[in-house]
Amino acid sequence: EVQLVESGGGLVQAGGSLRLSCAASGVTFDDSYIGWFRQAPGKEREGVTCITSRGDTLYYLESVKGRFTISSSNAKNTVYLQMNSLKPEDTAVYYCASAGYRCSHRPVDFPTWGQGTQVIVSS
């Protein structure tokens, strides 16, 4: 059984920072690709970033470049999303997801998902 659990969401003011965590059980991130996605109200789910088993970041959503950073700790079996200079447009439910074959910005390519964590950025 594979389980992904996100944490670290909350309410912050614009310009603030937040670090999201994605902890895995039943699978090691050494052998997988982990993506962060987000879904704002009335919007489709979009890929934010993705990291490979080697720790290489394959992409960032254009609107978060320079502000968000993905990283991983294989020892802790955890992937992080550091979010700085947050904007109200970043308000969304953030999900981490695992895939065994590729690092994609398409949700359909990720079979396993966490429950999501809410991020609200106030102006």
Side-chain angles (χ1 to χ4, degrees), residues 41-74:
K43 302 286 188 177
E44 292 194 348
R45 194 167 298 183
E46 62 182 351
V48 177
T49 184
C50 188
I51 194 167
T52 73
S53 59
R54 288 190 173 186
D56 298 321
T57 304
L58 293 195
Y59 78 89
Y60 284 104
L61 185 67
E62 185 67 27
S63 61
V64 309
K65 286 182 178 178
R67 300 189 297 118
F68 290 11
T69 304
I70 189 171
S71 62
S72 62
S73 172
N74 290 340

mmCIF file of all heavy atoms in Angstrom, residues 41-74:
data_model
loop_
_atom_site.group_PDB
_atom_site.id
_atom_site.type_symbol
_atom_site.label_atom_id
_atom_site.label_comp_id
_atom_site.label_asym_id
_atom_site.label_seq_id
_atom_site.Cartn_x
_atom_site.Cartn_y
_atom_site.Cartn_z
ATOM 1 N N PRO A 41 -10.110 27.120 -6.730
ATOM 2 C CA PRO A 41 -11.545 27.027 -6.976
ATOM 3 C C PRO A 41 -11.904 27.415 -8.408
ATOM 4 O O PRO A 41 -11.476 28.458 -8.905
ATOM 5 C CB PRO A 41 -12.141 28.014 -5.974
ATOM 6 C CG PRO A 41 -11.132 28.071 -4.870
ATOM 7 C CD PRO A 41 -9.801 27.945 -5.554
ATOM 8 N N GLY A 42 -12.669 26.558 -9.068
ATOM 9 C CA GLY A 42 -13.094 26.827 -10.426
ATOM 10 C C GLY A 42 -12.039 26.597 -11.484
ATOM 11 O O GLY A 42 -12.292 26.859 -12.665
ATOM 12 N N LYS A 43 -10.868 26.110 -11.083
ATOM 13 C CA LYS A 43 -9.779 25.878 -12.021
ATOM 14 C C LYS A 43 -9.451 24.395 -12.102
ATOM 15 O O LYS A 43 -9.732 23.627 -11.185
ATOM 16 C CB LYS A 43 -8.522 26.642 -11.590
ATOM 17 C CG LYS A 43 -8.693 28.138 -11.467
ATOM 18 C CD LYS A 43 -8.762 28.809 -12.816
ATOM 19 C CE LYS A 43 -8.740 30.318 -12.674
ATOM 20 N NZ LYS A 43 -8.742 30.987 -14.000
ATOM 21 N N GLU A 44 -8.844 24.010 -13.200
ATOM 22 C CA GLU A 44 -8.365 22.645 -13.333
ATOM 23 C C GLU A 44 -7.058 22.470 -12.576
ATOM 24 O O GLU A 44 -6.312 23.428 -12.360
ATOM 25 C CB GLU A 44 -8.172 22.279 -14.805
ATOM 26 C CG GLU A 44 -9.459 22.192 -15.585
ATOM 27 C CD GLU A 44 -9.282 21.499 -16.921
ATOM 28 O OE1 GLU A 44 -8.128 21.284 -17.337
ATOM 29 O OE2 GLU A 44 -10.295 21.159 -17.539
ATOM 30 N N ARG A 45 -6.803 21.239 -12.175
ATOM 31 C CA ARG A 45 -5.570 20.937 -11.476
ATOM 32 C C ARG A 45 -4.378 21.144 -12.403
ATOM 33 O O ARG A 45 -4.396 20.719 -13.564
ATOM 34 C CB ARG A 45 -5.607 19.501 -10.967
ATOM 35 C CG ARG A 45 -4.533 19.168 -9.951
ATOM 36 C CD ARG A 45 -4.835 17.832 -9.281
ATOM 37 N NE ARG A 45 -6.093 17.880 -8.545
ATOM 38 C CZ ARG A 45 -6.560 16.869 -7.829
ATOM 39 N NH1 ARG A 45 -5.880 15.738 -7.733
ATOM 40 N NH2 ARG A 45 -7.722 16.996 -7.198
ATOM 41 N N GLU A 46 -3.343 21.803 -11.897
ATOM 42 C CA GLU A 46 -2.179 22.100 -12.708
ATOM 43 C C GLU A 46 -0.897 21.650 -12.012
ATOM 44 O O GLU A 46 -0.798 21.676 -10.786
ATOM 45 C CB GLU A 46 -2.100 23.594 -13.028
ATOM 46 C CG GLU A 46 -1.958 24.490 -11.815
ATOM 47 C CD GLU A 46 -1.942 25.963 -12.163
ATOM 48 O OE1 GLU A 46 -1.864 26.303 -13.352
ATOM 49 O OE2 GLU A 46 -2.007 26.797 -11.230
ATOM 50 N N GLY A 47 0.065 21.251 -12.816
ATOM 51 C CA GLY A 47 1.344 20.844 -12.282
ATOM 52 C C GLY A 47 2.163 22.035 -11.858
ATOM 53 O O GLY A 47 2.336 22.993 -12.624
ATOM 54 N N VAL A 48 2.697 21.989 -10.647
ATOM 55 C CA VAL A 48 3.516 23.063 -10.104
ATOM 56 C C VAL A 48 4.997 22.787 -10.333
ATOM 57 O O VAL A 48 5.751 23.656 -10.782
ATOM 58 C CB VAL A 48 3.236 23.266 -8.607
ATOM 59 C CG1 VAL A 48 4.156 24.337 -8.019
ATOM 60 C CG2 VAL A 48 1.778 23.640 -8.386
ATOM 61 N N THR A 49 5.411 21.570 -10.020
ATOM 62 C CA THR A 49 6.798 21.171 -10.181
ATOM 63 C C THR A 49 6.899 19.666 -10.025
ATOM 64 O O THR A 49 5.959 19.011 -9.576
ATOM 65 C CB THR A 49 7.699 21.888 -9.150
ATOM 66 O OG1 THR A 49 9.074 21.558 -9.369
ATOM 67 C CG2 THR A 49 7.306 21.496 -7.730
ATOM 68 N N CYS A 50 8.043 19.115 -10.388
ATOM 69 C CA CYS A 50 8.252 17.672 -10.269
ATOM 70 C C CYS A 50 9.730 17.386 -10.066
ATOM 71 O O CYS A 50 10.586 18.052 -10.658
ATOM 72 C CB CYS A 50 7.733 16.958 -11.515
ATOM 73 S SG CYS A 50 7.716 15.149 -11.386
ATOM 74 N N ILE A 51 10.015 16.390 -9.240
ATOM 75 C CA ILE A 51 11.380 16.015 -8.932
ATOM 76 C C ILE A 51 11.576 14.537 -9.226
ATOM 77 O O ILE A 51 10.683 13.715 -9.008
ATOM 78 C CB ILE A 51 11.727 16.355 -7.459
ATOM 79 C CG1 ILE A 51 13.231 16.281 -7.211
ATOM 80 C CG2 ILE A 51 10.957 15.463 -6.495
ATOM 81 C CD1 ILE A 51 13.647 16.897 -5.879
ATOM 82 N N THR A 52 12.755 14.193 -9.735
ATOM 83 C CA THR A 52 13.062 12.817 -10.067
ATOM 84 C C THR A 52 13.687 12.104 -8.877
ATOM 85 O O THR A 52 14.017 12.710 -7.852
ATOM 86 C CB THR A 52 14.030 12.729 -11.252
ATOM 87 O OG1 THR A 52 15.345 13.123 -10.826
ATOM 88 C CG2 THR A 52 13.592 13.642 -12.391
ATOM 89 N N SER A 53 13.881 10.794 -9.029
ATOM 90 C CA SER A 53 14.491 10.000 -7.970
ATOM 91 C C SER A 53 15.927 10.420 -7.686
ATOM 92 O O SER A 53 16.446 10.142 -6.602
ATOM 93 C CB SER A 53 14.444 8.515 -8.327
ATOM 94 O OG SER A 53 15.126 8.259 -9.540
ATOM 95 N N ARG A 54 16.573 11.067 -8.641
ATOM 96 C CA ARG A 54 17.922 11.565 -8.444
ATOM 97 C C ARG A 54 17.961 12.949 -7.801
ATOM 98 O O ARG A 54 19.040 13.473 -7.539
ATOM 99 C CB ARG A 54 18.674 11.613 -9.769
ATOM 100 C CG ARG A 54 19.060 10.252 -10.329
ATOM 101 C CD ARG A 54 20.009 10.419 -11.493
ATOM 102 N NE ARG A 54 20.543 9.153 -11.957
ATOM 103 C CZ ARG A 54 21.478 9.030 -12.876
ATOM 104 N NH1 ARG A 54 21.986 10.122 -13.452
ATOM 105 N NH2 ARG A 54 21.902 7.833 -13.247
ATOM 106 N N GLY A 55 16.811 13.529 -7.591
ATOM 107 C CA GLY A 55 16.768 14.863 -7.026
ATOM 108 C C GLY A 55 16.807 15.971 -8.049
ATOM 109 O O GLY A 55 16.989 17.139 -7.674
ATOM 110 N N ASP A 56 16.648 15.642 -9.303
ATOM 111 C CA ASP A 56 16.631 16.648 -10.361
ATOM 112 C C ASP A 56 15.232 17.211 -10.530
ATOM 113 O O ASP A 56 14.255 16.471 -10.596
ATOM 114 C CB ASP A 56 17.094 16.046 -11.683
ATOM 115 C CG ASP A 56 18.518 15.542 -11.637
ATOM 116 O OD1 ASP A 56 19.367 16.196 -11.008
ATOM 117 O OD2 ASP A 56 18.784 14.478 -12.232
ATOM 118 N N THR A 57 15.151 18.513 -10.616
ATOM 119 C CA THR A 57 13.888 19.178 -10.865
ATOM 120 C C THR A 57 13.691 19.334 -12.362
ATOM 121 O O THR A 57 14.532 19.926 -13.041
ATOM 122 C CB THR A 57 13.854 20.554 -10.192
ATOM 123 O OG1 THR A 57 14.118 20.411 -8.795
ATOM 124 C CG2 THR A 57 12.497 21.208 -10.384
ATOM 125 N N LEU A 58 12.585 18.804 -12.866
ATOM 126 C CA LEU A 58 12.366 18.816 -14.305
ATOM 127 C C LEU A 58 11.634 20.057 -14.794
ATOM 128 O O LEU A 58 11.848 20.476 -15.933
ATOM 129 C CB LEU A 58 11.610 17.558 -14.735
ATOM 130 C CG LEU A 58 12.367 16.237 -14.588
ATOM 131 C CD1 LEU A 58 11.672 15.138 -15.375
ATOM 132 C CD2 LEU A 58 13.810 16.374 -15.035
ATOM 133 N N TYR A 59 10.777 20.618 -13.980
ATOM 134 C CA TYR A 59 10.068 21.816 -14.409
ATOM 135 C C TYR A 59 9.476 22.548 -13.221
ATOM 136 O O TYR A 59 9.279 21.984 -12.145
ATOM 137 C CB TYR A 59 8.949 21.470 -15.410
ATOM 138 C CG TYR A 59 7.699 20.910 -14.772
ATOM 139 C CD1 TYR A 59 6.674 21.752 -14.347
ATOM 140 C CD2 TYR A 59 7.539 19.542 -14.599
ATOM 141 C CE1 TYR A 59 5.537 21.246 -13.752
ATOM 142 C CE2 TYR A 59 6.400 19.027 -14.003
ATOM 143 C CZ TYR A 59 5.400 19.884 -13.586
ATOM 144 O OH TYR A 59 4.268 19.382 -12.995
ATOM 145 N N TYR A 60 9.210 23.827 -13.450
ATOM 146 C CA TYR A 60 8.393 24.640 -12.562
ATOM 147 C C TYR A 60 7.319 25.319 -13.393
ATOM 148 O O TYR A 60 7.565 25.731 -14.530
ATOM 149 C CB TYR A 60 9.201 25.724 -11.846
ATOM 150 C CG TYR A 60 10.067 25.242 -10.711
ATOM 151 C CD1 TYR A 60 11.445 25.123 -10.860
ATOM 152 C CD2 TYR A 60 9.510 24.922 -9.472
ATOM 153 C CE1 TYR A 60 12.239 24.693 -9.817
ATOM 154 C CE2 TYR A 60 10.304 24.491 -8.422
ATOM 155 C CZ TYR A 60 11.667 24.377 -8.597
ATOM 156 O OH TYR A 60 12.460 23.949 -7.549
ATOM 157 N N LEU A 61 6.158 25.422 -12.822
ATOM 158 C CA LEU A 61 5.127 26.253 -13.417
ATOM 159 C C LEU A 61 5.680 27.669 -13.565
ATOM 160 O O LEU A 61 6.310 28.203 -12.648
ATOM 161 C CB LEU A 61 3.888 26.248 -12.528
ATOM 162 C CG LEU A 61 2.636 26.963 -13.011
ATOM 163 C CD1 LEU A 61 2.045 26.254 -14.220
ATOM 164 C CD2 LEU A 61 1.610 27.027 -11.869
ATOM 165 N N GLU A 62 5.479 28.273 -14.720
ATOM 166 C CA GLU A 62 6.075 29.564 -15.015
ATOM 167 C C GLU A 62 5.774 30.605 -13.934
ATOM 168 O O GLU A 62 6.649 31.379 -13.549
ATOM 169 C CB GLU A 62 5.601 30.073 -16.379
ATOM 170 C CG GLU A 62 6.261 31.366 -16.829
ATOM 171 C CD GLU A 62 7.735 31.194 -17.126
ATOM 172 O OE1 GLU A 62 8.149 30.073 -17.481
ATOM 173 O OE2 GLU A 62 8.476 32.197 -17.007
ATOM 174 N N SER A 63 4.576 30.603 -13.423
ATOM 175 C CA SER A 63 4.169 31.614 -12.461
ATOM 176 C C SER A 63 4.819 31.455 -11.084
ATOM 177 O O SER A 63 4.723 32.363 -10.255
ATOM 178 C CB SER A 63 2.646 31.627 -12.310
ATOM 179 O OG SER A 63 2.170 30.380 -11.837
ATOM 180 N N VAL A 64 5.468 30.319 -10.828
ATOM 181 C CA VAL A 64 6.105 30.118 -9.525
ATOM 182 C C VAL A 64 7.626 30.109 -9.608
ATOM 183 O O VAL A 64 8.294 30.010 -8.565
ATOM 184 C CB VAL A 64 5.624 28.820 -8.844
ATOM 185 C CG1 VAL A 64 4.105 28.754 -8.828
ATOM 186 C CG2 VAL A 64 6.218 27.582 -9.512
ATOM 187 N N LYS A 65 8.185 30.229 -10.790
ATOM 188 C CA LYS A 65 9.636 30.223 -10.943
ATOM 189 C C LYS A 65 10.264 31.359 -10.144
ATOM 190 O O LYS A 65 9.797 32.492 -10.181
ATOM 191 C CB LYS A 65 10.027 30.351 -12.414
ATOM 192 C CG LYS A 65 9.804 29.100 -13.229
ATOM 193 C CD LYS A 65 10.254 29.300 -14.670
ATOM 194 C CE LYS A 65 10.074 28.035 -15.479
ATOM 195 N NZ LYS A 65 10.462 28.230 -16.899
ATOM 196 N N GLY A 66 11.318 31.021 -9.435
ATOM 197 C CA GLY A 66 11.998 31.995 -8.608
ATOM 198 C C GLY A 66 11.399 32.161 -7.233
ATOM 199 O O GLY A 66 12.014 32.813 -6.367
ATOM 200 N N ARG A 67 10.221 31.603 -7.006
ATOM 201 C CA ARG A 67 9.554 31.721 -5.714
ATOM 202 C C ARG A 67 9.406 30.371 -5.007
ATOM 203 O O ARG A 67 9.484 30.313 -3.782
ATOM 204 C CB ARG A 67 8.170 32.348 -5.875
ATOM 205 C CG ARG A 67 8.202 33.745 -6.481
ATOM 206 C CD ARG A 67 6.826 34.404 -6.428
ATOM 207 N NE ARG A 67 5.838 33.661 -7.221
ATOM 208 C CZ ARG A 67 4.744 33.097 -6.719
ATOM 209 N NH1 ARG A 67 4.481 33.189 -5.422
ATOM 210 N NH2 ARG A 67 3.897 32.456 -7.515
ATOM 211 N N PHE A 68 9.183 29.319 -5.760
ATOM 212 C CA PHE A 68 8.988 27.984 -5.197
ATOM 213 C C PHE A 68 10.215 27.124 -5.469
ATOM 214 O O PHE A 68 10.846 27.238 -6.528
ATOM 215 C CB PHE A 68 7.775 27.290 -5.823
ATOM 216 C CG PHE A 68 6.442 27.877 -5.439
ATOM 217 C CD1 PHE A 68 6.330 29.088 -4.779
ATOM 218 C CD2 PHE A 68 5.281 27.180 -5.747
ATOM 219 C CE1 PHE A 68 5.100 29.618 -4.433
ATOM 220 C CE2 PHE A 68 4.041 27.697 -5.406
ATOM 221 C CZ PHE A 68 3.950 28.912 -4.754
ATOM 222 N N THR A 69 10.520 26.237 -4.536
ATOM 223 C CA THR A 69 11.620 25.301 -4.692
ATOM 224 C C THR A 69 11.206 23.931 -4.192
ATOM 225 O O THR A 69 10.718 23.799 -3.070
ATOM 226 C CB THR A 69 12.871 25.754 -3.920
ATOM 227 O OG1 THR A 69 13.254 27.068 -4.334
ATOM 228 C CG2 THR A 69 14.029 24.796 -4.180
ATOM 229 N N ILE A 70 11.404 22.921 -5.025
ATOM 230 C CA ILE A 70 11.137 21.552 -4.611
ATOM 231 C C ILE A 70 12.446 20.905 -4.182
ATOM 232 O O ILE A 70 13.504 21.152 -4.761
ATOM 233 C CB ILE A 70 10.460 20.739 -5.746
ATOM 234 C CG1 ILE A 70 9.991 19.376 -5.227
ATOM 235 C CG2 ILE A 70 11.384 20.586 -6.946
ATOM 236 C CD1 ILE A 70 9.121 18.609 -6.221
ATOM 237 N N SER A 71 12.382 20.087 -3.158
ATOM 238 C CA SER A 71 13.542 19.362 -2.682
ATOM 239 C C SER A 71 13.081 18.047 -2.072
ATOM 240 O O SER A 71 11.885 17.842 -1.845
ATOM 241 C CB SER A 71 14.348 20.179 -1.668
ATOM 242 O OG SER A 71 13.576 20.462 -0.516
ATOM 243 N N SER A 72 14.027 17.167 -1.812
ATOM 244 C CA SER A 72 13.675 15.865 -1.269
ATOM 245 C C SER A 72 14.687 15.420 -0.238
ATOM 246 O O SER A 72 15.857 15.822 -0.265
ATOM 247 C CB SER A 72 13.574 14.819 -2.382
ATOM 248 O OG SER A 72 14.818 14.646 -3.032
ATOM 249 N N SER A 73 14.225 14.598 0.665
ATOM 250 C CA SER A 73 15.079 13.946 1.646
ATOM 251 C C SER A 73 14.800 12.458 1.553
ATOM 252 O O SER A 73 13.766 11.982 2.028
ATOM 253 C CB SER A 73 14.800 14.458 3.060
ATOM 254 O OG SER A 73 15.507 13.685 4.017
ATOM 255 N N ASN A 74 15.713 11.741 0.931
ATOM 256 C CA ASN A 74 15.524 10.299 0.805
ATOM 257 C C ASN A 74 15.559 9.604 2.163
ATOM 258 O O ASN A 74 14.853 8.620 2.377
ATOM 259 C CB ASN A 74 16.586 9.710 -0.111
ATOM 260 C CG ASN A 74 16.405 10.119 -1.554
ATOM 261 O OD1 ASN A 74 15.323 10.526 -1.968
ATOM 262 N ND2 ASN A 74 17.469 10.011 -2.342
#
